[in-house]
């Protein structure tokens, strides 16, 4: 049984406009990994429908996320880029793994609790079993490493537990246990309206996030209206404690400009937010404008985007299909 030695799997849900959090927390790090790893970057449309989606919007978002990957610097010749639903092995393996994952493990998942809220009984089974599908995504390719944000760490640990349970039950080292790659430098970007809430596609307020479809004026407007506090910026990182909005904006500036928090504060410490926000707008526009322009250029030619996804499907399925056949054999399913 062969195991790849350095294969990455990661994905983003096509649930709306990608935002600065997706870029700084995920995509930008992937760009840096493609030289050292065999990379599979998925647009996880099956995960997207764990909450209601409009079909036309889902199709459009799938193309947008694909274009955003490539415009951000992911090379479609080097990396496999595809949408999850085209490779049926994800659903098939999720079923098999779901038969090896006790409900007690899933009951601990905090994302389900947060997303289902108080209406737990009305939440869909798909939302509940989301982490099993995520385990299938990773294990279908025997990925060795998974870049994850802090928020997805618990799901990855579950994927490792499920892989271990499967291996033990069939008494075989079939699935490698995927390692989390949590970036020390990855930024957890918070909402522009509330420094304690994650910047998110599903936040009802568009003013809470900077998206890949915002032009320079929109970016500047959102930053200008971002929530702050009345104090000037501190001169050292310790002074950001208890000031979530200031902390978030300084963190974003540093991530975009490639500076540490102390370097940012060395420049802006003692100044008011008006000066700082002008600087932040400039650096945000500088980084995002070329990406959004390239994305728009690609989206004007949907057939090109679809051709990338089709090529990605063929490459992904070529890895997935033999793995799934081996899994079915181990489970004891008679082949056609
Ligand atoms: N605010 C964030 N800061 C840093 N990283 C973030 N990511 C998302 N938001 C931030 C990272 O982006 C990747 C893909 O996320 P996803 O779309 O699959 O799901 P999500 O984490 O649930 O993102 P959203 O925007 O909050 O989507 P919705 O609103 O649809 O649930 C992940 O690597 C994530 O860490």
């Amino acid at each position: 049984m062969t195991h790849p030695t350095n294969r990455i799997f990661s994905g983003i849900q096509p649930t709306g406009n990608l935002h600065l959090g997706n870029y700084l927390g995920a995509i930008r790090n992937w760009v840096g990994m493609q030289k050292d790893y065999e990379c599979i970057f998925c647009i996880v449309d099956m995960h997207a429908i764990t909450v209601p989606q409009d079909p036309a919007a889902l199709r459009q978002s799938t193309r947008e996320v694909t274009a955003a990957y490539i415009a951000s610097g992911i090379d479609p010749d080097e990396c496999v880029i595809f949408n999850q639903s085209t490779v049926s092995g994800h659903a098939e393996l999720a079923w098999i793994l779901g038969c090896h994952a006790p409900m007690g493990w899933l009951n601990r998942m905090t994302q389900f609790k947060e997303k289902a809220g108080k209406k737990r009984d009305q939440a869909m089974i798909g939302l509940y079993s989301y982490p099993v599908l995520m385990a299938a995504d990773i294990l279908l390719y025997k990925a060795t490493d998974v870049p994850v944000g802090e928020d997805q760490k618990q799901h990855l640990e579950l994927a490792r537990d499920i892989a271990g349970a499967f291996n033990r039950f069939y008494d075989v080292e079939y699935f490698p246990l995927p390692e989390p790659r949590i970036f020390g430098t990855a930024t957890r970007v918070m909402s522009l309206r509330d420094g304690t809430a994650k910047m998110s596609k599903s936040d009802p307020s568009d003013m809470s996030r900077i998206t890949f479809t915002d032009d320079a004026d929109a970016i500047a407007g959102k930053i200008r209206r971002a929530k702050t506090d009345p104090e000037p910026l501190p001169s050292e990182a310790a002074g950001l404690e208890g000031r979530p909005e200031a902390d978030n904006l300084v963190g974003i500036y540093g991530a975009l400009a490639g500076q540490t928090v102390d370097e940012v504060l060395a420049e802006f410490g003692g100044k008011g937010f008006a000066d700082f926000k002008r600087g932040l707008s400039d650096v945000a526009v500088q980084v995002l404008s070329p990406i959004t322009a390239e994305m728009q250029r690609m989206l004007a030619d949907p057939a090109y985007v679809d051709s990338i996804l089709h090529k990605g499907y063929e490459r992904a399925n070529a890895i997935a299909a033999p793995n799934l056949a081996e899994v079915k054999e181990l489970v004891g399913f008679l082949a056609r």
Side-chain angles (χ1 to χ4, degrees):
M1 230 158 264
T2 54
H3 286 325
T5 53
N6 64 340
R7 183 177 288 159
I8 291 260
F9 181 96
S10 202
I12 291 185
Q13 302 181 76
T15 42
N17 282 332
L18 289 191
H19 51 72
L20 199 56
N22 298 128
Y23 179 67
L24 294 175
I27 302 175
R28 192 177 68 160
N29 301 316
W30 301 353
V31 173
M33 299 181 109
Q34 55 188 338
K35 288 266 169 293
D36 302 323
Y37 291 88
E38 182 194 346
C39 292
I40 304 172
F41 294 128
C42 193
I43 296 96
V44 286
D45 48 7
M46 289 163 64
H47 278 101
I49 64 162
T50 56
V51 293
Q53 300 297 332
D54 170 71
L58 180 61
R59 264 188 291 278
Q60 176 62 14
S61 282
T62 301
R63 291 193 178 110
E64 281 175 8
V65 176
T66 308
Y69 284 1
I70 299 167
S72 300
I74 292 174
D75 179 348
D77 292 324
E78 287 286 326
C79 306
V80 177
I81 300 174
F82 75 108
N83 56 317
Q84 186 185 25
S85 59
T86 57
V87 176
S88 60
H90 291 257
E92 294 184 65
L93 184 59
W95 179 261
I96 293 169
L97 296 180
C99 297
H100 293 272
M103 283 179 61
W105 291 1
L106 284 162
N107 288 341
R108 287 203 294 270
M109 297 297 113
T110 53
Q111 183 175 291
F112 175 75
K113 289 181 199 160
E114 281 163 22
K115 289 204 171 181
K118 290 201 174 76
K119 296 182 177 158
R120 218 184 138 99
D121 286 352
Q122 287 163 39
M124 298 298 157
I125 291 172
L127 187 65
Y128 181 72
S129 61
Y130 178 115
V132 179
L133 179 59
M134 181 169 151
D137 298 339
I138 298 162
L139 299 176
L140 184 59
Y141 301 93
K142 296 186 176 177
T144 56
D145 298 83
V146 181
V148 282
E150 273 297 328
D151 50 340
Q152 289 295 327
K153 207 173 148 214
Q154 194 186 34
H155 287 169
L156 187 63
E157 276 160 12
L158 183 79
R160 287 168 60 90
D161 289 343
I162 295 175
F166 182 95
N167 290 349
R168 275 192 305 281
F169 186 82
Y170 297 103
D171 195 22
V172 56
E173 282 304 306
Y174 187 72
F175 291 121
L177 301 190
E179 292 291 336
R181 287 276 160 259
I182 296 184
F183 292 93
T185 53
T187 316
R188 184 163 160 81
V189 181
M190 309 310 276
S191 158
L192 298 181
R193 309 300 302 161
D194 174 0
T196 63
K198 181 177 106 148
M199 185 178 282
S200 168
K201 295 185 226 97
S202 52
D203 189 316
S205 166
D206 189 51
M207 296 306 285
S208 69
R209 59 187 163 255
I210 292 172
T211 73
F212 276 47
T213 50
D214 287 336
D215 60 17
D217 285 346
I219 292 174
K222 286 178 180 180
I223 292 176
R224 214 171 29 247
R225 290 172 62 188
K227 187 176 170 198
T228 50
D229 57 46
E231 302 298 319
L233 282 160
S235 307
E236 290 170 8
L240 291 170
E241 213 156 295
R243 299 177 65 184
E245 283 80 21
D247 188 31
N248 183 38
L249 295 181
V250 169
I252 293 174
Y253 188 107
L256 288 170
Q259 292 179 355
T260 64
V261 167
D262 284 323
E263 283 166 348
V264 178
L265 293 177
E267 189 178 342
F268 290 101
K271 292 188 181 160
F273 277 100
D275 275 351
F276 173 71
K277 283 180 168 179
R278 269 192 293 278
L280 179 57
S281 295
D282 288 347
V283 72
V285 169
Q286 217 177 334
V287 172
L288 289 179
S289 288
I291 298 177
T292 53
E294 177 60 11
M295 209 179 129
Q296 293 314 325
R297 200 186 61 73
M298 254 184 280
L299 287 170
D301 184 2
Y304 169 73
V305 177
D306 292 357
S307 73
I308 299 273
L309 290 173
H310 185 75
K311 192 174 75 176
Y313 148 72
E314 287 178 333
R315 291 168 68 192
N317 200 48
I319 304 170
N323 287 348
L324 186 67
E326 286 174 352
V327 169
K328 287 181 170 177
E329 163 95 30
L330 285 170
V331 170
F333 291 161
L334 269 184
R336 274 196 291 261

